[in-house]
Amino acid sequence: MARTAYHHGDLHQQAHDQALAVLRLEGDSAISLRGIAKQIGVSAPALYRHYADRESLLAELAISGFAALRQQLLSVEQHAPRAALIGIGLAYVAFAQSEPNLYRLMFGGRVLPKGAHPRLDQAGLGAFNVLQDTIARGQRAGYLKPAPLSLMTATAWSLVHGLSQLTIDGHLPNADAEPQLAEGITSLLLEGAIAHTDAHTDNNEDTP
Amino acid sequence: MARTAYHHGDLHQQAHDQALAVLRLEGDSAISLRGIAKQIGVSAPALYRHYADRESLLAELAISGFAALRQQLLSVEQHAPRAALIGIGLAYVAFAQSEPNLYRLMFGGRVLPKGAHPRLDQAGLGAFNVLQDTIARGQRAGYLKPAPLSLMTATAWSLVHGLSQLTIDGHLPNADAEPQLAEGITSLLLEGAIAHTDAHTDNNEDTP
DNA sequence: GTGCCAATGTTAACGCCGTTAACTTATCAC
DNA sequence: GTGATAAGTTAACGGCGTTAACATTGGCAC
């Protein structure tokens, strides 16, 4: 069976793209199968040949979102431990801010109760692992204290996820100095996470 | 106009309670005005005498959620700075875990785009201020370093909010040791936030 | 080439939803 | 009592997800 052009063409991909466009502009609640079908120029039940239901389409959007997040995190320079850790935090928050509606879908928790969609869980782990690997590298380099890896990863992820969510929803009152905020927050956490080897125990900022 | 019993009774409050019950059991997307009206024993348009639309009902649920969160945070013992800070973090996460669907509604971001509902924003600030006051107290006591208050508050809030969201959605892989996790995370951040006065630079736990 | 099968599309319909319009009823002020 | 008004009613519109039943088309066996 050809995947290039059949009755209509690659309806699967077109529906995915159209749904992503609606998501970006109006959020996931504005995604309707009937609306997508109409804008593609196809009948609504045709979508059910490619997606089991509306939730499956949203899950696929979230999966591609996690893949994109993973790629953005993988592109962070990994030479200097401190720069890598701060860089990955900034990259994470930057992704959420560049795709707020997609990020809300990925972590909204309303769709797909976490164990229902194996591919979605795996995609989330793929992004999570990049963060964990960076922290493990910082530990092996002796930059981070040898606390349990799971604890440090959970802490770092909680921080960047919380900051992402709060900023894209406008909850932080003084979000004006936002880039400095992300860096300042990451640095503040790092000061509690670095190994105190009599080298950098105090305010050791490397920002101009 | 009496507020005790009219045609039906206190429909406003009953609708609120019924919606909250549905929210707790099935999440906000399961809240339908028709369903609530039917279970109360009233006609669906009757609800429009008390709520402008479905979003207003959800906003009111979120407002009462923020009030409940504020009360829970206010009940934290405020004597010792470190105990107060860890206690408020644990209380915050405990609230999210005890009311996951309500917490998702409060911070979901899909409903009420942040500036649309003034009472909702004010309720959020009410909870936020308790956290900020605790941090300010810790600074005045000399326990926390004199970094900008907005930065420290944003960091703390990001951390507890992120941890709450990740745990209630089951994203943290090893959430088995969850109470220890919340405390360990809070302590880890604190080690970067406390003032290093040659008094408690290392692992200075005050828990049994 | 022909014929069949499975994949992919169509229209019609069901039941639910939010919301509005038009109307009815009960309570309070006087 | 008698309006005015708040609080309820039924009827209806349009949109939604989803399913059933039917139609079409591409590709493969022969």
Side-chain angles (χ1 to χ4, degrees):
Chain A
M1 193 61 36
R3 52 184 45 79
T4 59
Y6 185 21
H7 254 162
H8 168 91
D10 49 349
L11 212 170
H12 190 99
Q13 182 66 35
Q14 273 189 254
H16 180 108
D17 296 348
Q18 180 64 31
L20 184 58
V22 174
L23 172 68
R24 285 189 170 123
L25 287 176
E26 310 177 60
D28 57 273
S29 64
I31 296 179
S32 86
L33 295 187
R34 292 182 108 118
I36 289 172
K38 184 173 294 182
Q39 294 199 337
I40 291 183
V42 89
S43 195
L47 295 176
Y48 286 83
R49 303 293 178 186
H50 302 274
Y51 298 95
D53 49 15
R54 181 177 181 274
E55 227 178 29
S56 297
L57 174 56
L58 296 184
E60 194 168 283
L61 293 180
I63 287 172
S64 64
F66 276 117
L69 172 58
R70 178 169 204 268
Q71 285 308 311
Q72 181 144 339
L73 296 185
L74 280 175
S75 73
V76 172
E77 193 57 63
Q78 289 279 358
H79 290 121
R82 182 185 179 88
L85 287 163
I86 291 188
I88 213 165
L90 294 183
Y92 189 103
V93 178
F95 175 85
Q97 289 175 345
S98 71
E99 292 275 13
N101 285 333
L102 177 56
Y103 190 83
R104 286 196 197 96
L105 173 65
M106 291 158 59
F107 286 101
R110 288 137 137 99
V111 285
L112 286 304
K114 69 204 157 224
H117 237 267
R119 287 177 53 226
L120 178 60
D121 297 352
Q122 197 174 354
L125 272 181
F128 170 82
N129 284 336
V130 181
L131 182 61
Q132 187 160 58
D133 289 350
T134 305
I135 293 175
R137 220 178 329 250
Q139 282 188 325
R140 282 198 302 271
Y143 179 72
L144 293 178
K145 59 174 61 170
L149 179 59
S150 63
L151 174 66
M152 303 200 78
T153 309
T155 306
W157 197 13
S158 295
L159 190 75
V160 292
H161 172 64
L163 179 59
S164 298
Q165 190 111 19
L166 292 178
T167 53
I168 68 180
D169 288 344
H171 278 120
L172 290 182
N174 46 345
D176 21 310
E178 154 228 303
Q180 298 176 343
L181 185 65
E183 180 148 359
I185 283 180
T186 314
S187 302
L188 191 59
L189 173 64
L190 268 183
E191 294 194 26
I194 59 179
H196 294 99
T197 62
D198 295 339
H200 26 43
T201 48
D202 260 315
N203 41 357
N204 202 9
E205 303 286 338
D206 52 1
T207 46
Chain B
M1 192 57 37
R3 53 185 42 80
T4 59
Y6 184 22
H7 253 160
H8 168 89
D10 50 349
L11 211 171
H12 189 98
Q13 182 65 35
Q14 271 188 254
H16 181 107
D17 296 348
Q18 179 65 31
L20 184 57
V22 174
L23 172 68
R24 285 189 171 124
L25 287 177
E26 309 177 61
D28 57 272
S29 64
I31 296 179
S32 86
L33 296 187
R34 292 182 109 117
I36 288 172
K38 182 173 295 182
Q39 294 199 337
I40 290 183
V42 89
S43 193
L47 295 176
Y48 286 83
R49 303 292 177 184
H50 303 273
Y51 298 96
D53 49 15
R54 181 177 181 273
E55 228 179 28
S56 297
L57 174 55
L58 296 184
E60 194 168 284
L61 292 180
I63 288 172
S64 63
F66 276 118
L69 173 59
R70 179 169 203 267
Q71 286 307 311
Q72 182 145 340
L73 296 185
L74 280 175
S75 72
V76 172
E77 195 56 63
Q78 288 279 359
H79 290 121
R82 182 185 180 89
L85 288 163
I86 291 188
I88 213 164
L90 294 183
Y92 190 103
V93 178
F95 175 84
Q97 289 175 345
S98 70
E99 293 275 11
N101 285 333
L102 177 57
Y103 191 84
R104 286 196 196 96
L105 173 64
M106 291 159 59
F107 287 100
R110 290 137 136 100
V111 285
L112 286 305
K114 72 208 158 224
H117 237 268
R119 286 177 53 225
L120 179 59
D121 297 353
Q122 197 174 353
L125 272 180
F128 170 82
N129 284 336
V130 180
L131 181 61
Q132 186 160 59
D133 288 350
T134 304
I135 293 175
R137 222 179 324 253
Q139 282 188 323
R140 281 199 302 272
Y143 180 72
L144 294 178
K145 59 174 63 169
L149 180 59
S150 63
L151 174 66
M152 303 200 77
T153 308
T155 307
W157 196 14
S158 295
L159 190 75
V160 293
H161 172 63
L163 179 59
S164 298
Q165 191 112 17
L166 291 178
T167 53
I168 69 181
D169 288 344
H171 278 119
L172 290 182
N174 46 347
D176 21 310
E178 154 227 305
Q180 298 177 343
L181 184 65
E183 180 148 1
I185 284 180
T186 314
S187 302
L188 190 59
L189 172 64
L190 269 183
E191 293 193 28
I194 60 179
H196 293 100
T197 62
D198 297 339
H200 27 44
T201 48
D202 261 313
N203 41 359
N204 199 8
E205 302 287 339
D206 53 2
T207 46

